[in-house]
Amino acid sequence: MLSSVTRTCVIYVIAIAALRLMGKRQLAELQPSELVTTFLISNVASICIEEPELPLLSSLIPILLLSALEILNSTLAWYLPSYARLLFGKPVTVIRNGQIDEKALSHLRITPNDLAESLRSAEVFSPEEVLWGVVESNGSLSVARKPEQGQEAPLLPILIDRHVYTDNLQALHYDNAWLANLLAQKGLQQKDVLALFANDQRTLLIPKKAAPKGG
């Protein structure tokens, strides 16, 4: 009995430590690979507890291996944006200026009812209230409301970690030439930019710390 209790406590501590190493997120914010890793760790941990005849070390190795693989995945995603997009996918715009993009919904296999439910969760009850609605790579819906009269329009992402949001460029009546000219004025290249946001009035450019400073 004492051995079983000790074994359970050890596995409990190791499982928590492994998940903490992977990073702190809410369940709804997990990327697919993180969600799979979390489920696998929980299943392995339950097997370890339910099968006391298994050596403790052989039970812990799969948990540590899964954690190491997830850390490797996230590290590669940080340094290789193209790998991150392959692994996690990319955001998809489903609402633009109050208009629902049915083609995007079909591509994501999201029904209009699913979209309406997600909008209500964001306290939006009509797509006409939405300037920009995007399904994130983790499946959640992010919404930018249309500005009230006299208010500034929300800043939309234009360039994040070398990924250009072409649809936002077009919606703001900008193009790739405008983006290239803006970066040239700052003495930057796309790889030097952490994030770039814009609306029809101004831009917000955040360079990477290692990026050269333009004049």
Side-chain angles (χ1 to χ4, degrees), residues 37-116:
T37 302
T38 302
F39 284 150
L40 287 176
I41 287 178
S42 65
N43 286 337
V44 170
S46 66
I47 292 173
C48 297
I49 294 173
E50 294 170 0
E51 302 291 341
E53 67 276 4
L54 290 175
L56 183 58
L57 184 60
S58 64
S59 303
L60 297 180
I61 287 176
I63 294 177
L64 298 176
L65 177 59
L66 287 169
S67 303
L69 289 173
E70 181 54 41
I71 293 171
L72 175 62
N73 246 344
S74 59
T75 302
L76 288 174
W78 173 261
Y79 287 105
L80 301 172
S82 57
Y83 175 75
R85 288 192 289 274
L86 177 65
L87 182 65
F88 302 138
K90 62 180 181 179
V92 177
T93 300
V94 293
I95 302 177
R96 168 74 63 193
N97 289 325
Q99 300 295 318
I100 297 175
D101 187 335
E102 296 183 32
K103 185 177 180 181
L105 290 184
S106 176
H107 173 72
L108 295 171
R109 296 187 295 279
I110 294 177
T111 67
N113 187 59
D114 293 333
L115 179 62

